[in-house]
Amino acid sequence: MNKDIILLRTVEVAAIASYKYIGMKDKNMVDQAAVEAFEVMLRNERGFKLKVVNGEGELDNAPMLYVNQFLGDLNDPEVPTFDVSVDPIEGTNPAAYNFAGSISTISISRENTMLQMPEMYMEKFFVKDKYSNLINLSEGIINNVLRLQEFENRKDLRCIILDKPRHNKIIQELSKLGVVTRLIQDGDVLAAIDVVNGEADFVYGIGGAPEGCLMASLALASGCKMQSRLINYNQIWPNEKETESRMEKENAWMSKHNIDTSSILSDYDLVSDERTRFFAAGLTAGGSLKPIKYKKGKFFVNGFMASHGIVRNFSSIYDVNKVNNLKPDIKYLFDKYKR
């Protein structure tokens, strides 16, 4: 079967498996269900192999979907291998407490084209396609926004930004400029999907660096643009116990890759493959990606895919009885994670 369909179905089923734990106030169970769904859905596929470049963490910190894990056709050395960035559930906290902001997502690219990101913070600026040649993060977000406003000849650009204390000042500055800001609790990858789907003009803010690779794939696959810059842990949490050890790890990684916190990274610096593909499915979702619904034995799932500048939004219906008769691997998940 076409690997795109397989990967789209994988994120959809991961969302379905996690549906059981929406609102149960246990984000680990949300994540565990999605992780198992990924493993079950991909373990019997043939014709390709996936190497996790950005995933759940190192081997000793995660049961599966860890960095350098392989999925897919592990028995045939001749099949092509693809790099993968994966977040089984981006926004486990929104799912656990049943508010908008959670999706299942994965992106792939050709082997050795995806940069393995450290567990660092990252400043990210993701803009829609018409602004691709206008942005320069090294000049600061305000100068960029002024340039976009001049280009559009209007002030009321639509921005999505994480509602975090570190963004309070910039939120106030954007408001003074006339920018319409939509604040979200979690999920800048989901916010970037909204930009692609025309629900916003840009996403800005400081979030996780591993998610930056997912957003970079989305930018390249959809024709949008992203620039980013790594942020040291002590800039966000200067007085935490783990700050010193985190800084040591971050500095070692940046030295290894000849990158520092002044380096402006393009989407292509993170994923050097124009043929990268991006997939997502809504859990509690929000914006242009709708939340999963269940009614009378059927799951209604909103999926999303981008590749080669083509953007696809899907509405899929999983009839539990029909699928159980045709797909034993999905039946296993349906039975285990039945609500």
Side-chain angles (χ1 to χ4, degrees):
M1 181 181 289
N2 182 285
K3 67 178 180 297
D4 290 350
I5 296 298
I6 293 169
L7 293 172
L8 176 65
R9 189 171 62 193
T10 297
V11 293
E12 290 177 340
V13 173
I16 290 172
S18 298
Y19 175 80
K20 176 177 182 177
Y21 300 108
I22 291 177
M24 297 292 186
K25 300 182 181 181
D26 190 336
K27 64 181 185 179
N28 291 328
M29 294 302 295
V30 171
D31 195 50
Q32 179 180 320
V35 167
E36 182 173 14
F38 266 83
E39 199 277 334
V40 168
M41 294 300 294
L42 293 172
R43 66 187 176 192
N44 293 321
E45 295 300 339
R46 297 291 175 261
F48 65 92
K49 185 164 53 179
L50 306 176
K51 178 184 177 182
V52 178
V53 176
N54 294 292
E56 293 284 281
E58 299 296 339
L59 178 59
D60 57 347
N61 291 327
M64 56 186 74
L65 300 187
Y66 51 82
V67 173
N68 291 325
Q69 181 183 5
F70 285 89
L71 301 166
D73 194 343
L74 306 183
N75 297 318
D76 186 350
E78 301 300 321
V79 300
T81 300
F82 296 90
D83 286 352
V84 165
S85 286
V86 58
D87 202 341
I89 298 295
E90 186 211 22
T92 53
N93 196 59
Y97 289 87
N98 196 16
F99 60 86
S102 62
I103 61 173
S104 177
T105 183
I106 188 172
S107 68
I108 69 169
S109 64
R110 287 176 295 170
E111 189 176 14
N112 300 322
T113 60
M114 198 171 278
L115 183 61
Q116 181 182 331
M117 303 303 298
E119 289 293 330
M120 289 183 68
Y121 284 96
M122 174 180 274
E123 180 185 23
K124 293 173 258 188
F125 188 31
F126 186 107
V127 302
K128 62 185 183 182
D129 51 1
K130 67 191 296 187
Y131 303 149
S132 294
N133 297 320
L134 297 175
I135 66 171
N136 184 350
L137 190 56
S138 66
E139 298 177 1
I141 183 60
I142 295 302
N143 287 329
N144 277 271
V145 170
L146 289 170
R147 186 181 299 116
L148 300 186
Q149 289 176 324
E150 181 181 6
F151 175 80
E152 292 283 16
N153 194 29
R154 60 182 176 87
K155 295 184 179 297
D156 60 341
L157 301 179
R158 299 164 299 164
C159 166
I160 305 175
I161 186 168
L162 290 170
D163 188 10
K164 304 291 184 183
R166 58 183 176 266
H167 295 145
N168 286 346
K169 182 178 179 180
I170 190 63
I171 290 170
Q172 293 173 2
E173 291 177 347
L174 290 172
S175 180
K176 289 178 182 178
L177 291 178
V179 174
V180 179
T181 56
R182 187 177 108 208
L183 304 182
I184 58 174
Q185 295 299 314
D186 291 272
D188 49 4
V189 180
L190 173 57
I193 294 174
D194 277 356
V195 172
V196 174
N197 278 334
E199 296 289 323
D201 296 307
F202 66 93
V203 174
Y204 173 78
I206 297 171
E211 290 81 4
C213 264
L214 284 160
M215 293 171 70
S217 285
L218 175 58
L220 291 165
S222 65
C224 291
K225 190 66 180 176
M226 187 183 87
Q227 290 186 355
S228 59
R229 181 174 66 91
L230 291 169
I231 303 291
N232 278 132
Y233 191 80
N234 65 348
Q235 290 185 246
I236 309 298
W237 306 105
N239 301 315
E240 299 298 309
K241 292 182 179 179
E242 68 269 22
T243 297
E244 184 176 348
S245 61
R246 288 286 294 262
M247 289 289 296
E248 291 177 358
K249 293 178 181 179
E250 291 175 0
N251 290 332
W253 183 92
M254 288 189 289
S255 176
K256 175 182 177 181
H257 293 281
N258 195 29
I259 294 171
D260 56 34
T261 54
S262 65
S263 301
I264 302 301
L265 304 171
S266 72
D267 38 37
Y268 198 78
D269 289 324
L270 303 185
V271 183
S272 56
D273 183 8
E274 297 284 355
R275 292 181 287 177
T276 184
R277 290 164 162 80
F278 175 93
F279 307 84
L283 187 52
T284 60
S288 61
L289 204 59
K290 304 306 178 186
I292 191 170
K293 294 182 180 180
Y294 177 80
K295 186 177 181 181
K296 296 181 179 179
K298 297 179 180 179
F299 287 99
F300 299 82
V301 189
N302 195 194
F304 175 91
M305 174 185 169
S307 69
H308 299 83
I310 302 167
V311 175
R312 298 177 172 92
N313 287 274
F314 299 88
S315 294
S316 300
I317 302 173
Y318 284 72
D319 185 311
V320 172
N321 287 331
K322 291 179 180 178
V323 174
N324 282 348
N325 290 330
L326 296 171
K327 292 292 293 180
D329 47 354
I330 301 182
K331 181 181 185 304
Y332 163 81
L333 294 166
F334 281 175
D335 289 344
K336 181 171 182 177
Y337 294 106
K338 181 169 59 177
R339 187 158 187 169

